Amino acid sequence: MGFSKLFILLFTLQALLAMSSTQATAPISDLFREYIGAEFNNVKFSDVPINPNVEFHYILAFAIDYTTSSSPSPTDGEFNVFWDTDNLTPSQVSSIKNQNSNVKVALSLGGDSVGGGSCYFTPSSVDSWVSNAVSSLTKIIQEYNLDGIDIDYEHFHTDPETFAECIGKLITTLKNNGVISFASIAPFDDDEVQSHYMALWKSYGHIIDYVNFQFYAYDKGTTVSQFMKYFETQRSNYEGGDILASFISDGSGGLGPENGFFTACNRLKSEGKLGGIFVWSADDSMSLGFRYEKQSQALLAVPR
């Protein structure tokens, strides 16, 4: 009798441990993130509706290590601000955070283009780039009272291993210095892009909090079933990461909100796979009245 009771107790403990382990590894699915400021159309933080029952991140687009001249050139990690600084100021960052306890603000590095040309990741060496990046970004992050960084380089003048070391050491140093509390990456389905980000993930995935995968870079007209397959592929590529679903406001690619995006998100959420939702971008959503931002946050706010 004593043995059977002990067996039942051990079995129960094992089941409870398995449950807690599953819960610990399931992503936090109430995270909503939105890029803002890249298109200079006067959008402000306060224009975007904020649901108090989600974790909300604005991502300023972009800080770039290029000169701000009429013909921008690489600066080896010396970052400058390239977002709409007339409407997205340090005081407005403080204001939106003070008014909404669930809001954090990050900045994104790189982006697709600068000054009409492609924006390339161009370090002269790992040590010089990291040193310059830590110094210049610390100043910007502290001036703007920011909380995190996002990595969105899409063109490269270096190999994947160098990219991995530069970005990995940057994130590590900023976190160790208490300058940022989170970091994300924003890859998409392109061989060169994936080779660089997957090298970064292999070496430094443990310090990257979120994967803002650009699912809208897939073809326009993507179906729900295709989206679900793409999501599984990226969960495998960035194993153990919190993968966010995404759409683009102008409807130019991927699975759109009117064509099943929220169906896919509900399915992923019910399966415990949804790391959140992000949108590119507030600038384009303003003309739509942010209706899909409201719908995204409502979906995320409902407990799984």
Side-chain angles (χ1 to χ4, degrees):
M1 187 62 141
F3 177 78
S4 66
K5 280 183 178 176
L6 180 63
F7 179 80
I8 292 166
L9 177 64
L10 287 171
F11 182 82
T12 306
L13 283 171
Q14 189 177 22
L16 286 170
L17 282 169
M19 283 172 62
S20 65
S21 171
T22 303
Q23 288 164 353
T25 56
I28 300 167
S29 63
D30 67 346
L31 176 62
F32 178 79
R33 317 185 87 202
E34 179 131 37
Y35 289 87
I36 187 168
E39 294 173 27
F40 290 80
N41 68 351
N42 301 318
V43 66
K44 298 179 175 65
F45 296 122
S46 55
D47 291 329
V48 186
I50 299 167
N51 186 316
N53 299 313
V54 302
E55 183 177 349
F56 192 111
H57 293 179
Y58 292 100
I59 305 175
L60 291 160
F62 291 96
I64 310 174
D65 53 333
Y66 270 64
T67 61
T68 56
S69 60
S70 56
S71 297
S73 58
T75 58
D76 193 29
E78 291 280 357
F79 280 86
N80 290 300
V81 170
F82 281 81
W83 63 76
D84 182 358
T85 53
D86 288 341
N87 291 288
L88 302 166
T89 65
S91 63
Q92 285 165 330
V93 170
S94 296
S95 177
I96 201 70
K97 286 169 67 173
N98 289 337
Q99 292 167 23
N100 302 274
S101 61
N102 61 322
V103 166
K104 293 183 172 68
V105 185
L107 58 75
S108 187
L109 308 184
D112 174 54
S113 62
V114 58
S118 293
C119 172
Y120 282 93
F121 183 74
T122 315
S124 63
S125 72
V126 172
D127 289 346
S128 67
W129 189 90
V130 171
S131 176
N132 291 337
V134 168
S135 175
S136 59
L137 285 171
T138 296
K139 289 176 187 172
I140 295 170
I141 290 165
Q142 291 178 340
E143 178 189 356
Y144 277 82
N145 186 27
L146 304 178
D147 304 288
I149 63 170
D150 174 65
I151 311 300
D152 188 24
Y153 283 101
E154 303 185 2
H155 309 281
F156 307 90
H157 279 158
T158 190
D159 60 274
E161 288 69 30
T162 301
F163 175 72
E165 286 305 304
C166 285
I167 299 301
K169 288 180 176 178
L170 170 65
I171 294 171
T172 300
T173 305
L174 291 178
K175 281 192 168 187
N176 288 345
N177 291 350
V179 176
I180 60 170
S181 58
F182 60 83
S184 58
I185 57 174
F188 57 95
D189 188 41
D190 170 89
D191 288 346
E192 185 185 30
V193 169
Q194 289 281 63
S195 69
H196 284 73
Y197 282 92
M198 287 170 70
L200 171 61
W201 187 259
K202 182 179 179 183
S203 297
Y204 290 96
H206 60 285
I207 59 163
I208 296 167
D209 301 279
Y210 316 111
V211 179
N212 281 14
F213 199 85
Q214 298 182 46
F215 288 101
Y216 46 82
Y218 288 106
D219 291 343
K220 183 177 181 179
T222 295
T223 65
V224 171
S225 61
Q226 286 173 325
F227 186 93
M228 298 296 287
K229 288 176 184 173
Y230 297 153
F231 198 93
E232 283 302 319
T233 299
Q234 304 315 326
R235 284 186 77 229
S236 174
N237 286 337
Y238 300 95
E239 189 174 358
D242 279 2
I243 316 295
L244 280 74
S246 59
F247 67 86
I248 189 166
S249 306
D250 68 7
S252 59
L255 176 62
E258 295 179 342
N259 299 307
F261 175 77
F262 295 116
T263 300
C265 287
N266 272 314
R267 196 173 298 171
L268 290 168
K269 185 173 182 177
S270 70
E271 295 171 358
K273 297 174 181 177
L274 184 66
I277 295 172
F278 82 88
V279 181
W280 178 276
S281 65
D283 308 54
D284 289 323
S285 291
M286 191 158 61
S287 64
L288 303 171
F290 299 101
R291 64 175 173 269
Y292 298 127
E293 279 78 357
K294 294 173 189 173
Q295 196 170 345
S296 297
Q297 292 176 74
L299 182 153
L300 295 169
V302 176
R304 180 161 64 90

mmCIF file of all heavy atoms in Angstrom, residues 14-43:
data_model
loop_
_atom_site.group_PDB
_atom_site.id
_atom_site.type_symbol
_atom_site.label_atom_id
_atom_site.label_comp_id
_atom_site.label_asym_id
_atom_site.label_seq_id
_atom_site.Cartn_x
_atom_site.Cartn_y
_atom_site.Cartn_z
ATOM 1 N N GLN A 14 5.664 14.127 -11.355
ATOM 2 C CA GLN A 14 6.231 14.110 -12.711
ATOM 3 C C GLN A 14 5.294 14.809 -13.698
ATOM 4 O O GLN A 14 5.735 15.584 -14.551
ATOM 5 C CB GLN A 14 6.458 12.659 -13.141
ATOM 6 C CG GLN A 14 7.239 12.538 -14.459
ATOM 7 C CD GLN A 14 7.503 11.098 -14.824
ATOM 8 O OE1 GLN A 14 6.804 10.199 -14.355
ATOM 9 N NE2 GLN A 14 8.509 10.842 -15.640
ATOM 10 N N ALA A 15 3.998 14.553 -13.562
ATOM 11 C CA ALA A 15 3.002 15.189 -14.436
ATOM 12 C C ALA A 15 2.996 16.702 -14.238
ATOM 13 O O ALA A 15 2.927 17.471 -15.194
ATOM 14 C CB ALA A 15 1.619 14.606 -14.165
ATOM 15 N N LEU A 16 3.066 17.137 -12.969
ATOM 16 C CA LEU A 16 3.074 18.574 -12.669
ATOM 17 C C LEU A 16 4.325 19.247 -13.223
ATOM 18 O O LEU A 16 4.265 20.352 -13.768
ATOM 19 C CB LEU A 16 2.987 18.799 -11.151
ATOM 20 C CG LEU A 16 1.621 18.537 -10.511
ATOM 21 C CD1 LEU A 16 1.729 18.542 -8.991
ATOM 22 C CD2 LEU A 16 0.600 19.581 -10.979
ATOM 23 N N LEU A 17 5.459 18.577 -13.081
ATOM 24 C CA LEU A 17 6.703 19.119 -13.625
ATOM 25 C C LEU A 17 6.639 19.235 -15.139
ATOM 26 O O LEU A 17 7.089 20.215 -15.723
ATOM 27 C CB LEU A 17 7.884 18.234 -13.218
ATOM 28 C CG LEU A 17 8.392 18.396 -11.784
ATOM 29 C CD1 LEU A 17 9.372 17.282 -11.435
ATOM 30 C CD2 LEU A 17 9.051 19.760 -11.603
ATOM 31 N N ALA A 18 6.060 18.249 -15.780
ATOM 32 C CA ALA A 18 5.916 18.278 -17.241
ATOM 33 C C ALA A 18 5.032 19.434 -17.673
ATOM 34 O O ALA A 18 5.313 20.129 -18.643
ATOM 35 C CB ALA A 18 5.333 16.956 -17.735
ATOM 36 N N MET A 19 3.948 19.671 -16.913
ATOM 37 C CA MET A 19 3.044 20.785 -17.230
ATOM 38 C C MET A 19 3.749 22.113 -17.081
ATOM 39 O O MET A 19 3.653 22.997 -17.927
ATOM 40 C CB MET A 19 1.810 20.751 -16.324
ATOM 41 C CG MET A 19 0.773 19.709 -16.708
ATOM 42 S SD MET A 19 -0.528 19.578 -15.463
ATOM 43 C CE MET A 19 -1.203 21.230 -15.533
ATOM 44 N N SER A 20 4.490 22.278 -15.967
ATOM 45 C CA SER A 20 5.158 23.557 -15.732
ATOM 46 C C SER A 20 6.244 23.795 -16.768
ATOM 47 O O SER A 20 6.474 24.910 -17.212
ATOM 48 C CB SER A 20 5.758 23.603 -14.323
ATOM 49 O OG SER A 20 6.790 22.642 -14.190
ATOM 50 N N SER A 21 6.903 22.714 -17.201
ATOM 51 C CA SER A 21 7.931 22.827 -18.229
ATOM 52 C C SER A 21 7.317 23.280 -19.546
ATOM 53 O O SER A 21 7.845 24.148 -20.231
ATOM 54 C CB SER A 21 8.625 21.487 -18.414
ATOM 55 O OG SER A 21 9.466 21.518 -19.541
ATOM 56 N N THR A 22 6.154 22.724 -19.897
ATOM 57 C CA THR A 22 5.460 23.113 -21.120
ATOM 58 C C THR A 22 5.057 24.580 -21.068
ATOM 59 O O THR A 22 5.222 25.330 -22.024
ATOM 60 C CB THR A 22 4.206 22.236 -21.333
ATOM 61 O OG1 THR A 22 4.603 20.880 -21.353
ATOM 62 C CG2 THR A 22 3.510 22.587 -22.633
ATOM 63 N N GLN A 23 4.538 24.994 -19.910
ATOM 64 C CA GLN A 23 4.104 26.380 -19.773
ATOM 65 C C GLN A 23 5.285 27.333 -19.859
ATOM 66 O O GLN A 23 5.193 28.418 -20.407
ATOM 67 C CB GLN A 23 3.363 26.558 -18.438
ATOM 68 C CG GLN A 23 1.983 25.914 -18.436
ATOM 69 C CD GLN A 23 1.422 25.744 -17.037
ATOM 70 O OE1 GLN A 23 2.104 25.981 -16.048
ATOM 71 N NE2 GLN A 23 0.180 25.300 -16.959
ATOM 72 N N ALA A 24 6.435 26.921 -19.312
ATOM 73 C CA ALA A 24 7.601 27.790 -19.315
ATOM 74 C C ALA A 24 8.147 27.996 -20.722
ATOM 75 O O ALA A 24 8.673 29.049 -21.042
ATOM 76 C CB ALA A 24 8.690 27.196 -18.423
ATOM 77 N N THR A 25 8.014 26.976 -21.587
ATOM 78 C CA THR A 25 8.576 27.082 -22.916
ATOM 79 C C THR A 25 7.593 27.673 -23.927
ATOM 80 O O THR A 25 7.995 28.090 -24.999
ATOM 81 C CB THR A 25 9.043 25.704 -23.421
ATOM 82 O OG1 THR A 25 7.945 24.792 -23.357
ATOM 83 C CG2 THR A 25 10.171 25.166 -22.564
ATOM 84 N N ALA A 26 6.311 27.715 -23.598
ATOM 85 C CA ALA A 26 5.339 28.325 -24.514
ATOM 86 C C ALA A 26 5.586 29.830 -24.575
ATOM 87 O O ALA A 26 5.860 30.460 -23.561
ATOM 88 C CB ALA A 26 3.919 28.049 -24.036
ATOM 89 N N PRO A 27 5.534 30.428 -25.770
ATOM 90 C CA PRO A 27 5.812 31.852 -25.882
ATOM 91 C C PRO A 27 4.743 32.707 -25.211
ATOM 92 O O PRO A 27 3.606 32.284 -25.027
ATOM 93 C CB PRO A 27 5.822 32.095 -27.395
ATOM 94 C CG PRO A 27 5.025 30.977 -27.974
ATOM 95 C CD PRO A 27 5.226 29.815 -27.059
ATOM 96 N N ILE A 28 5.153 33.917 -24.825
ATOM 97 C CA ILE A 28 4.198 34.890 -24.293
ATOM 98 C C ILE A 28 3.459 35.472 -25.486
ATOM 99 O O ILE A 28 4.039 36.168 -26.304
ATOM 100 C CB ILE A 28 4.937 36.007 -23.530
ATOM 101 C CG1 ILE A 28 5.726 35.420 -22.361
ATOM 102 C CG2 ILE A 28 3.969 37.076 -23.045
ATOM 103 C CD1 ILE A 28 6.722 36.371 -21.744
ATOM 104 N N SER A 29 2.180 35.166 -25.603
ATOM 105 C CA SER A 29 1.479 35.509 -26.845
ATOM 106 C C SER A 29 0.704 36.828 -26.781
ATOM 107 O O SER A 29 -0.034 37.159 -27.693
ATOM 108 C CB SER A 29 0.530 34.374 -27.235
ATOM 109 O OG SER A 29 -0.460 34.208 -26.245
ATOM 110 N N ASP A 30 0.865 37.611 -25.691
ATOM 111 C CA ASP A 30 0.113 38.871 -25.626
ATOM 112 C C ASP A 30 0.981 40.061 -26.036
ATOM 113 O O ASP A 30 0.697 41.198 -25.679
ATOM 114 C CB ASP A 30 -0.463 39.085 -24.219
ATOM 115 C CG ASP A 30 0.610 39.313 -23.164
ATOM 116 O OD1 ASP A 30 1.803 39.059 -23.440
ATOM 117 O OD2 ASP A 30 0.257 39.762 -22.050
ATOM 118 N N LEU A 31 2.042 39.796 -26.815
ATOM 119 C CA LEU A 31 2.955 40.859 -27.240
ATOM 120 C C LEU A 31 2.539 41.430 -28.587
ATOM 121 O O LEU A 31 2.438 40.707 -29.581
ATOM 122 C CB LEU A 31 4.386 40.311 -27.318
ATOM 123 C CG LEU A 31 5.447 41.270 -27.850
ATOM 124 C CD1 LEU A 31 5.581 42.501 -26.963
ATOM 125 C CD2 LEU A 31 6.793 40.553 -27.983
ATOM 126 N N PHE A 32 2.318 42.748 -28.616
ATOM 127 C CA PHE A 32 2.021 43.447 -29.867
ATOM 128 C C PHE A 32 3.123 44.464 -30.123
ATOM 129 O O PHE A 32 3.476 45.245 -29.234
ATOM 130 C CB PHE A 32 0.663 44.162 -29.800
ATOM 131 C CG PHE A 32 0.350 44.928 -31.056
ATOM 132 C CD1 PHE A 32 -0.128 44.280 -32.181
ATOM 133 C CD2 PHE A 32 0.570 46.297 -31.124
ATOM 134 C CE1 PHE A 32 -0.386 44.976 -33.356
ATOM 135 C CE2 PHE A 32 0.306 47.008 -32.286
ATOM 136 C CZ PHE A 32 -0.174 46.346 -33.409
ATOM 137 N N ARG A 33 3.640 44.487 -31.362
ATOM 138 C CA ARG A 33 4.744 45.389 -31.703
ATOM 139 C C ARG A 33 4.420 46.096 -33.013
ATOM 140 O O ARG A 33 3.835 45.502 -33.922
ATOM 141 C CB ARG A 33 6.062 44.625 -31.837
ATOM 142 C CG ARG A 33 6.305 43.574 -30.753
ATOM 143 C CD ARG A 33 7.681 42.942 -30.864
ATOM 144 N NE ARG A 33 8.662 43.735 -30.144
ATOM 145 C CZ ARG A 33 9.971 43.712 -30.384
ATOM 146 N NH1 ARG A 33 10.441 42.965 -31.372
ATOM 147 N NH2 ARG A 33 10.797 44.449 -29.673
ATOM 148 N N GLU A 34 4.831 47.368 -33.117
ATOM 149 C CA GLU A 34 4.560 48.131 -34.341
ATOM 150 C C GLU A 34 5.729 49.040 -34.674
ATOM 151 O O GLU A 34 6.203 49.815 -33.842
ATOM 152 C CB GLU A 34 3.291 48.970 -34.186
ATOM 153 C CG GLU A 34 2.967 49.799 -35.412
ATOM 154 C CD GLU A 34 1.526 49.667 -35.871
ATOM 155 O OE1 GLU A 34 0.643 49.576 -35.012
ATOM 156 O OE2 GLU A 34 1.287 49.664 -37.087
ATOM 157 N N TYR A 35 6.190 48.925 -35.920
ATOM 158 C CA TYR A 35 7.229 49.831 -36.424
ATOM 159 C C TYR A 35 6.600 51.195 -36.717
ATOM 160 O O TYR A 35 5.458 51.272 -37.190
ATOM 161 C CB TYR A 35 7.869 49.262 -37.686
ATOM 162 C CG TYR A 35 8.738 48.050 -37.424
ATOM 163 C CD1 TYR A 35 8.181 46.768 -37.393
ATOM 164 C CD2 TYR A 35 10.103 48.179 -37.199
ATOM 165 C CE1 TYR A 35 8.978 45.649 -37.153
ATOM 166 C CE2 TYR A 35 10.903 47.062 -36.952
ATOM 167 C CZ TYR A 35 10.335 45.809 -36.930
ATOM 168 O OH TYR A 35 11.113 44.701 -36.679
ATOM 169 N N ILE A 36 7.380 52.244 -36.476
ATOM 170 C CA ILE A 36 6.837 53.595 -36.622
ATOM 171 C C ILE A 36 7.945 54.580 -37.009
ATOM 172 O O ILE A 36 9.081 54.439 -36.559
ATOM 173 C CB ILE A 36 6.151 54.043 -35.301
ATOM 174 C CG1 ILE A 36 5.414 55.370 -35.462
ATOM 175 C CG2 ILE A 36 7.141 54.097 -34.134
ATOM 176 C CD1 ILE A 36 4.491 55.706 -34.282
ATOM 177 N N GLY A 37 7.622 55.513 -37.881
ATOM 178 C CA GLY A 37 8.496 56.653 -38.134
ATOM 179 C C GLY A 37 9.342 56.641 -39.371
ATOM 180 O O GLY A 37 10.049 57.614 -39.652
ATOM 181 N N ALA A 38 9.298 55.552 -40.166
ATOM 182 C CA ALA A 38 10.200 55.447 -41.312
ATOM 183 C C ALA A 38 9.741 56.270 -42.510
ATOM 184 O O ALA A 38 10.550 56.620 -43.367
ATOM 185 C CB ALA A 38 10.357 53.983 -41.724
ATOM 186 N N GLU A 39 8.445 56.558 -42.573
ATOM 187 C CA GLU A 39 7.910 57.138 -43.814
ATOM 188 C C GLU A 39 7.556 58.615 -43.712
ATOM 189 O O GLU A 39 7.038 59.204 -44.667
ATOM 190 C CB GLU A 39 6.697 56.303 -44.266
ATOM 191 C CG GLU A 39 7.124 54.900 -44.659
ATOM 192 C CD GLU A 39 5.949 53.986 -44.958
ATOM 193 O OE1 GLU A 39 4.883 54.486 -45.356
ATOM 194 O OE2 GLU A 39 6.105 52.771 -44.782
ATOM 195 N N PHE A 40 7.835 59.223 -42.551
ATOM 196 C CA PHE A 40 7.712 60.669 -42.385
ATOM 197 C C PHE A 40 6.344 61.204 -42.814
ATOM 198 O O PHE A 40 6.243 62.180 -43.559
ATOM 199 C CB PHE A 40 8.826 61.389 -43.167
ATOM 200 C CG PHE A 40 10.193 61.192 -42.560
ATOM 201 C CD1 PHE A 40 10.911 60.019 -42.793
ATOM 202 C CD2 PHE A 40 10.751 62.155 -41.728
ATOM 203 C CE1 PHE A 40 12.158 59.825 -42.213
ATOM 204 C CE2 PHE A 40 12.002 61.961 -41.148
ATOM 205 C CZ PHE A 40 12.698 60.802 -41.392
ATOM 206 N N ASN A 41 5.296 60.552 -42.332
ATOM 207 C CA ASN A 41 3.951 61.050 -42.660
ATOM 208 C C ASN A 41 3.238 61.598 -41.421
ATOM 209 O O ASN A 41 2.011 61.629 -41.356
ATOM 210 C CB ASN A 41 3.116 59.958 -43.337
ATOM 211 C CG ASN A 41 2.780 58.811 -42.403
ATOM 212 O OD1 ASN A 41 3.305 58.741 -41.293
ATOM 213 N ND2 ASN A 41 1.909 57.922 -42.835
ATOM 214 N N ASN A 42 4.045 62.034 -40.453
ATOM 215 C CA ASN A 42 3.558 62.743 -39.254
ATOM 216 C C ASN A 42 2.810 61.863 -38.255
ATOM 217 O O ASN A 42 2.098 62.385 -37.392
ATOM 218 C CB ASN A 42 2.666 63.933 -39.649
ATOM 219 C CG ASN A 42 3.395 64.929 -40.531
ATOM 220 O OD1 ASN A 42 4.557 65.239 -40.280
ATOM 221 N ND2 ASN A 42 2.735 65.408 -41.575
ATOM 222 N N VAL A 43 2.954 60.547 -38.340
ATOM 223 C CA VAL A 43 2.308 59.683 -37.359
ATOM 224 C C VAL A 43 2.991 59.867 -36.001
ATOM 225 O O VAL A 43 4.214 60.024 -35.920
ATOM 226 C CB VAL A 43 2.340 58.197 -37.802
ATOM 227 C CG1 VAL A 43 3.759 57.633 -37.837
ATOM 228 C CG2 VAL A 43 1.452 57.350 -36.909
#
